[in-house]
Amino acid sequence: MFSPGQIISYLDMCKEEGVNLQRGMNFRLKGGLSVILMSIRKGSPYADRIEDDGEIIIYEGHDQPKTKGIKDSKSVDQPINTPFGTLTQNGLFYHAAKKYKLKGENPELVKVYEKIKPGIWAFNGIFKLIDAWIENKTGRAVLKFKLEISDSSNLRKIKTKALPHSRVIPSEVKLKVWER
């Protein structure tokens, strides 16, 4: 497992997760932890952000895939269900957050990777999915997910070595370290 703040290549990230990561939201990969890929770079298509000195991540759900009937995925609601009624990745994360918040179930543990530049990523650590809500943004429903940094006491289910961390290192710092 990577250390929080560690700069890695896309290929190393995929090797660690055992899959070719093509989507930003990945619920319980291979029966293990969930994974999200975030970006706070200028021009990013989603409004992800880091708050509370790196202890909280607000992650924006994903848009409707572009299909024949949809020309602009930013003009329609983000989906919770597929046209067949099954849950999308948005829906899986949304329901997991609600189970924690409303029913007191254990929070979903989520590995968070942040895109620094094309092909270069940073491992931000393992976070607890603690809330989800729907915002009405520019006339459409947008899902938001709140993740809180976890401490080592919450990582007992993980078979790999858990490394404690206390905050997310700002992207600008990560990029400067990588450039060196």
Side-chain angles (χ1 to χ4, degrees), residues 112-171:
V112 178
Y113 293 96
E114 180 183 347
K115 189 173 191 174
I116 302 299
K117 59 189 297 182
I120 306 298
W121 293 79
F123 177 62
N124 281 348
I126 298 175
F127 287 72
K128 298 179 289 186
L129 177 61
I130 61 169
D131 201 1
W133 63 94
I134 300 172
E135 289 182 1
N136 210 347
K137 192 174 183 180
T138 61
R140 71 182 191 124
V142 175
L143 288 125
K144 296 288 185 169
F145 301 93
K146 183 176 185 178
L147 298 110
E148 176 183 70
I149 206 157
S150 64
D151 62 33
S152 58
S153 67
N154 290 325
L155 303 178
R156 61 186 172 278
K157 293 183 183 177
I158 300 171
K159 294 178 183 172
T160 55
K161 184 179 176 188
L163 299 172
H165 55 290
S166 61
R167 68 182 183 93
V168 175
I169 299 166
S171 298

Side-chain angles (χ1 to χ4, degrees), residues 7-23:
I7 307 298
I8 56 174
S9 72
Y10 172 77
L11 293 176
D12 288 338
M13 180 177 66
C14 292
K15 184 177 177 184
E16 170 72 18
E17 299 308 327
V19 296
N20 189 11
L21 293 164
Q22 293 295 313
R23 59 183 179 212

Side-chain angles (χ1 to χ4, degrees), residues 2-69:
F2 303 116
S3 300
Q6 186 172 345
I7 307 298
I8 56 174
S9 72
Y10 172 77
L11 293 176
D12 288 338
M13 180 177 66
C14 292
K15 184 177 177 184
E16 170 72 18
E17 299 308 327
V19 296
N20 189 11
L21 293 164
Q22 293 295 313
R23 59 183 179 212
M25 302 175 79
N26 304 274
F27 193 77
R28 294 187 187 162
L29 285 177
K30 296 192 173 190
L33 295 182
S34 294
V35 172
I36 63 169
L37 309 178
M38 67 174 289
S39 177
I40 55 174
R41 299 177 326 142
K42 185 178 180 180
S44 175
Y46 298 100
D48 302 335
R49 64 184 188 269
I50 297 172
E51 298 180 343
D52 294 339
D53 198 30
E55 293 182 16
I56 298 290
I57 290 174
I58 304 298
Y59 185 78
E60 184 172 298
H62 281 239
D63 296 331
Q64 177 78 26
K66 292 179 183 172
T67 59
K68 258 186 175 177

Side-chain angles (χ1 to χ4, degrees), residues 43-112:
S44 175
Y46 298 100
D48 302 335
R49 64 184 188 269
I50 297 172
E51 298 180 343
D52 294 339
D53 198 30
E55 293 182 16
I56 298 290
I57 290 174
I58 304 298
Y59 185 78
E60 184 172 298
H62 281 239
D63 296 331
Q64 177 78 26
K66 292 179 183 172
T67 59
K68 258 186 175 177
I70 299 171
K71 292 181 181 178
D72 179 16
S73 59
K74 294 286 185 194
S75 66
V76 297
D77 294 345
Q78 290 182 340
I80 290 179
N81 296 92
T82 69
F84 306 107
T86 58
L87 293 173
T88 63
Q89 292 297 303
N90 285 335
L92 292 167
F93 278 85
Y94 185 83
H95 285 286
K98 292 303 179 186
K99 284 179 183 178
Y100 167 75
K101 184 145 181 142
L102 302 175
K103 296 181 180 177
E105 293 187 15
N106 289 333
E108 184 72 22
L109 295 178
V110 181
K111 292 170 83 174
V112 178

